[in-house]
Amino acid sequence: MLLVAIIGLVMTAAALALAARRVNFLRRLAMSGQPAPERVAYARRNAGAELKAQLVEVFGQRKLLKWTPSGVAHFVVFWAFVILATVYLEAYGALIQGAVTGTPDFHIPLVGTWPVLGFAQDLIAVACVAGLAAFAVIRVQNAPRKLGRASRFSGSHLGGAWLILFMIFNVIWTLFLFRGAAINTGNFPYDSGAFASQGAAALLRPLGEGANEVLEPVGLLLHLGVMLVFLVIVVNSKHLHIFTAPLNVLFSRRPDGLGAVPQMRSNGEVLDFEEADPDTDVFGRGTLQDTTFKGFLDFYTCTECGRCQSQCPAWNTGKPLSPKMLILDQRDHAFAIAPYLLASEAEREDLPQDVLALAGKPLVGEQGVIHPDVLWSCTNCGACVEQCPVDIEHIDHIIDMRRYQVMIESSFPSEAGVMLKNLENKGNPWGVPEVKRAEWIEELASRQVDPIEVTLIEDTVPDGMEYLFWVGCAGALEDRAKKTTKAVAELLHMAGVRFGVLGPMEACTGDPARRLGMEFVFDMLARQNIETLNEAGVTKIVATCPHCFNTLANEYPQLGGTYEVVHHTQLLARLVEEGRLTPVTPIEEKITYHDPCFLGRHNKVYTQPRDIMATVPGVTTQEMHRCKDRGFCCGAGGARMWMEERIGKRINTERVDEALTTDPDRVSTACPFCLVMLGDAINEKKNTGEAKPTLEVVDVAQLLVTSVKGGTTSA
């Protein structure tokens, strides 16, 4: 047994040395980029939230279990690693005790002979084999050679996945080999409970006592050897996520990685645009060296599962953006130029020419690591982040690369340039004079039936006013969205809610500029609005546009503008619940609801719009196949509202095609952008005869006001 112990310990030392060398390389590579002190500070300040995240995301496998078959399989394989750690403790104990006493009958102190532990070890090992079989079936069924682009594994490194499944299988059968032999030699710590090991022992018993005495140390060394080889493979493969996933979850944004876009930082400090120098400061991500350690953690942690890819509206409509490949292409490039990233300036001159050539390759460009069409296809819908089981933040990578392209390279779709000029000059994306923002107010006041006077805040909020109604650019200037604005104003008036609007004093929140990557324009507009709101004494805001809602609630606090912000569906649902609004007139229609991305995934507002529709008599609701956290984008987010869609199928057309499968009388939503995008696609379908001539898209507020006051939908 002494020889067995020496062999086992030598193998262990060699494997740990190789693994440690790789881990040190990965650490140095991650730290070669930009610091992200805000991530560390948040994790320290919110230890409770981080502990909950580890329990729910890592140990509870919450996101993985959303995909039931593969989620359950991963759950049992993950817990096999956790529970079978006790088997390795027993194995090393037997190795050392056998060398010392000559009898490898080690057991874990206190619990080492408890039958329940032996049963748990065997049960999870058997479940692990079932999980491996499930993984194999899933991979065969979803093989890219069969499904092509439709496979979520398209673009993944397939060979590595099969190798890992094979290695895990080797872990299990060698476990039962040495445990079965140990039972036959009398060195097994459990008298009962370990049912599978006892079955293995029954199979090995006919070989005789001598054979089992040989098989026990051989099986022990095989089991340890497989584990050690597996360790070395893991730290050199995509399955590195076994170790990095908890770290990636730890440093992710809470509550779920969506919400506010991180502020621009240079060398860890928030960038001050008045003092920033493009020659010395970091503006977004122009090279991989501009990536933070969290970005590198994202690279290391990607499991190549393709959940993000399968949910991406760009990928699903024939565009080149795959959130998975966006991460993998950067990861592969980082490993390829690692010698350059880790070398000093003097050392770089002596590097091989192929490494220097790769290091000089632009991060974004026609011949770059990331093609511009990939970068500009993103709608910022958040489906990738929502579905990623290891909290990779794909949108952060895209926004950072966009920032560099827009602010330093001035390279972005030309039509977006018009939008930026309009924001700078007129305070709205359409370039309409600011006085036009008050026209809807005049239209409400001049109605012959039920005219409504809306308070225009000119200085400070009047006493007793409950909410500032943030109308938004679309709500004030776009004809279809103005119907929603009027409906909300009318409902608030009927409910007795005192509210006012800024009118011409309101400017765009800056969301289109920030999502495009022009942080300077966002900063300018945001500070202007915050100054206006603070001077007026605003504390509570209701907004109809989810993009405005998200920006005001989640991003303005970064610049000192902290307010209580609600979406109009949240406020209206509460008013209905309190009895201040009562739907009475039936609307005998089948309606399907489209979840706006920035209301749903970004802010988790799913129930209130549906609650409103549920209170309207006569309405029959029918969910689309992709809804709620798996909802499909309209195509307008990420500043795509102001960019032409030239590649593949239009995203709004894809969404309307899905809506038409429910045979609706109307499509409802709760976002002016969605209203416009879905409305345009529906009109196209009407022209080709694919949709009912009466089909239209309306905001849930329009449905509610129709039922509350009777008559036709409010205009």
Side-chain angles (χ1 to χ4, degrees):
M1 288 303 295
L2 178 60
L3 179 60
V4 172
I6 292 173
I7 294 173
L9 294 176
V10 169
M11 289 193 310
T12 302
L16 290 179
L18 290 173
R21 183 170 180 268
R22 177 66 175 181
V23 169
N24 186 53
F25 161 76
L26 294 170
R27 179 194 63 80
R28 291 175 59 220
L29 185 60
M31 301 310 291
S32 68
Q34 289 288 306
E38 75 282 4
R39 301 281 187 161
V40 178
Y42 183 91
R44 286 175 176 169
R45 288 196 311 269
N46 299 274
E50 298 300 342
L51 176 60
K52 179 182 177 182
Q54 294 295 319
L55 294 174
V56 173
E57 301 289 348
V58 179
F59 291 96
Q61 306 271 283
R62 179 183 67 89
K63 285 190 175 181
L64 280 158
L65 289 171
K66 289 181 179 180
W67 297 54
T68 306
S70 58
V72 171
H74 194 280
F75 183 88
V76 296
V77 172
F78 167 80
W79 276 99
F81 276 92
V82 175
I83 295 174
L84 294 184
T86 59
V87 174
Y88 281 105
L89 182 58
E90 292 171 346
Y92 275 104
L95 194 72
I96 295 170
Q97 185 164 309
V100 175
T101 67
T103 306
D105 58 350
F106 173 83
H107 67 268
I108 300 171
L110 301 178
V111 298
T113 59
W114 192 27
V116 173
L117 179 57
F119 174 79
Q121 292 169 337
D122 278 20
L123 178 64
I124 201 65
V126 171
C128 181
V129 174
L132 296 180
F135 280 142
V137 170
I138 290 169
R139 286 194 166 271
V140 170
Q141 289 179 336
N142 293 276
R145 67 175 181 274
K146 290 170 53 180
L147 302 179
R149 186 184 178 93
S151 169
R152 64 185 175 95
F153 300 120
S154 176
S156 298
H157 298 82
L158 303 177
W162 287 109
L163 174 61
I164 292 297
L165 294 182
F166 176 66
M167 291 303 298
I168 297 174
F169 175 72
N170 288 336
V171 168
I172 301 301
W173 76 258
T174 56
L175 176 147
F176 287 127
L177 175 64
F178 97 81
R179 282 164 71 93
I183 290 174
N184 291 334
T185 60
N187 293 323
F188 196 60
Y190 307 102
D191 293 331
S192 62
F195 63 96
S197 297
Q198 290 168 351
L203 293 175
L204 296 174
R205 197 167 292 120
L207 298 178
E209 184 178 344
N212 277 275
E213 288 179 350
V214 173
L215 284 175
E216 182 183 1
V218 170
L220 178 62
L221 289 178
L222 278 174
H223 187 57
L224 293 178
V226 166
M227 180 272 291
L228 294 169
V229 171
F230 183 69
L231 171 64
V232 174
I233 291 174
V234 162
V235 297
N236 285 274
S237 73
K238 72 187 186 74
H239 282 77
L240 179 64
H241 76 270
I242 293 173
F243 301 115
T244 59
L247 289 175
N248 212 43
V249 171
L250 175 67
F251 294 116
S252 293
R253 299 201 304 278
R254 296 283 157 250
D256 49 28
L258 294 173
V261 170
Q263 291 177 277
M264 282 186 66
R265 289 176 177 269
S266 179
N267 299 311
E269 300 295 328
V270 175
L271 200 63
D272 184 341
F273 287 104
E274 293 184 359
E275 299 180 2
D277 183 350
D279 294 327
T280 57
D281 284 310
V282 175
F283 280 69
R285 186 180 305 178
T287 70
L288 276 179
Q289 288 169 292
D290 299 331
T291 308
T292 67
F293 79 84
K294 175 58 171 67
F296 278 96
L297 273 178
D298 284 348
F299 301 159
Y300 299 163
T301 308
C302 181
T303 68
E304 304 185 26
C305 67
R307 285 170 172 81
C308 58
Q309 180 174 286
S310 71
Q311 301 296 300
C312 177
W315 182 260
N316 277 280
T317 53
K319 296 168 182 62
L321 169 61
S322 159
K324 175 183 70 178
M325 296 309 300
L326 178 89
I327 298 299
L328 297 187
D329 288 345
Q330 290 183 88
R331 182 192 72 186
D332 293 346
H333 185 62
F335 286 153
I337 65 169
Y340 180 87
L341 295 177
L342 298 177
S344 65
E345 289 292 337
E347 293 170 334
R348 287 174 178 174
E349 297 177 0
D350 299 324
L351 290 174
Q353 286 302 310
D354 58 339
V355 173
L356 292 175
L358 284 173
K361 189 177 183 180
L363 184 58
V364 178
E366 296 284 345
Q367 304 300 320
V369 179
I370 305 298
H371 194 279
D373 287 340
V374 170
L375 193 65
W376 298 111
S377 293
C378 180
T379 66
N380 280 203
C381 72
C384 50
V385 182
E386 174 69 34
Q387 292 299 326
C388 180
V390 290
D391 283 6
I392 292 172
E393 295 164 355
H394 313 75
I395 292 177
D396 290 2
H397 293 261
I398 290 171
I399 292 292
D400 267 350
M401 284 186 274
R402 284 185 173 189
R403 284 167 168 168
Y404 184 84
Q405 292 301 303
V406 173
M407 302 182 73
I408 301 300
E409 297 291 332
S410 296
S411 176
F412 51 91
S414 58
E415 57 269 22
V418 177
M419 179 267 290
L420 286 177
K421 289 180 181 178
N422 289 335
L423 287 177
E424 289 187 76
N425 298 329
K426 299 294 185 179
N428 67 80
W430 289 283
V432 177
E434 58 187 22
V435 294
K436 293 282 189 179
R437 287 184 178 272
E439 285 187 353
W440 70 272
I441 302 174
E442 297 170 5
E443 292 167 8
L444 272 183
S446 61
R447 291 193 313 190
Q448 292 185 351
V449 180
D450 297 328
I452 297 175
E453 295 289 339
V454 175
T455 301
L456 188 62
I457 300 173
E458 297 180 353
D459 188 11
T460 59
V461 172
D463 292 339
M465 181 169 288
E466 297 178 66
Y467 288 96
L468 168 74
F469 180 11
W470 187 274
V471 180
C473 300
L477 305 172
E478 207 283 328
D479 288 340
R480 287 166 287 187
K482 283 165 69 174
K483 295 179 181 181
T484 302
T485 302
K486 295 175 187 177
V488 171
E490 195 165 2
L491 287 165
L492 295 180
H493 176 74
M494 287 188 287
V497 176
R498 293 194 61 193
F499 70 95
V501 298
L502 291 174
M505 292 172 59
E506 182 183 296
C508 178
T509 60
D511 168 81
R514 172 165 255 199
R515 299 287 164 171
L516 182 72
M518 179 53 85
E519 191 75 11
F520 174 76
V521 173
F522 164 76
D523 188 84
M524 177 188 71
L525 290 168
R527 292 186 187 279
Q528 174 185 326
N529 283 324
I530 290 170
E531 182 179 359
T532 300
L533 292 168
N534 290 346
E535 287 182 354
V538 172
T539 58
K540 297 170 70 175
I541 301 173
V542 57
T544 54
C545 175
H547 298 262
C548 295
F549 167 57
N550 180 71
T551 305
L552 292 165
N554 299 323
E555 300 189 338
Y556 275 21
Q558 295 174 340
L559 301 175
T562 303
Y563 316 100
E564 181 183 332
V565 187
V566 297
H567 189 254
H568 74 279
T569 56
Q570 294 174 302
L571 179 56
L572 294 179
R574 179 163 60 82
L575 294 174
V576 171
E577 184 181 0
E578 293 173 353
R580 296 168 67 179
L581 291 172
T582 305
V584 290
T585 303
I587 300 177
E588 302 292 345
E589 293 179 352
K590 182 198 286 187
I591 299 176
T592 189
Y593 176 71
H594 164 79
D595 286 284
C597 300
F598 276 74
L599 183 64
R601 273 189 295 265
H602 282 261
N603 287 283
K604 298 297 179 278
V605 179
Y606 297 116
T607 60
Q608 290 90 336
R610 290 172 169 82
D611 289 344
I612 291 171
M613 290 191 295
T615 64
V616 176
V619 167
T620 301
T621 58
Q622 176 67 53
E623 294 283 8
M624 285 183 258
H625 173 65
R626 292 178 287 205
C627 62
K628 299 181 181 177
D629 63 354
R630 291 199 189 187
F632 199 77
C633 184
C634 75
R640 289 293 323 173
M641 181 84 169
W642 292 274
M643 292 183 245
E644 290 297 326
E645 195 170 345
R646 299 184 176 91
I647 304 173
K649 184 178 181 179
R650 293 183 66 87
I651 293 174
N652 59 340
T653 302
E654 172 73 10
R655 186 54 165 167
V656 166
D657 282 341
E658 185 172 1
L660 292 177
T661 63
T662 68
D663 190 29
D665 296 306
R666 272 195 274 194
V667 177
S668 69
T669 188
C671 171
F673 289 4
C674 298
L675 199 71
V676 171
M677 297 296 285
L678 299 180
D680 287 347
I682 285 174
N683 288 336
E684 291 176 3
K685 295 295 180 181
K686 287 180 182 179
N687 293 335
T688 59
E690 298 173 74
K692 300 174 184 176
T694 56
L695 182 63
E696 62 177 344
V697 56
V698 296
D699 191 281
V700 291
Q702 293 173 263
L703 294 172
L704 182 60
V705 75
T706 299
S707 183
V708 170
K709 65 179 291 190
T712 58
T713 302
S714 174

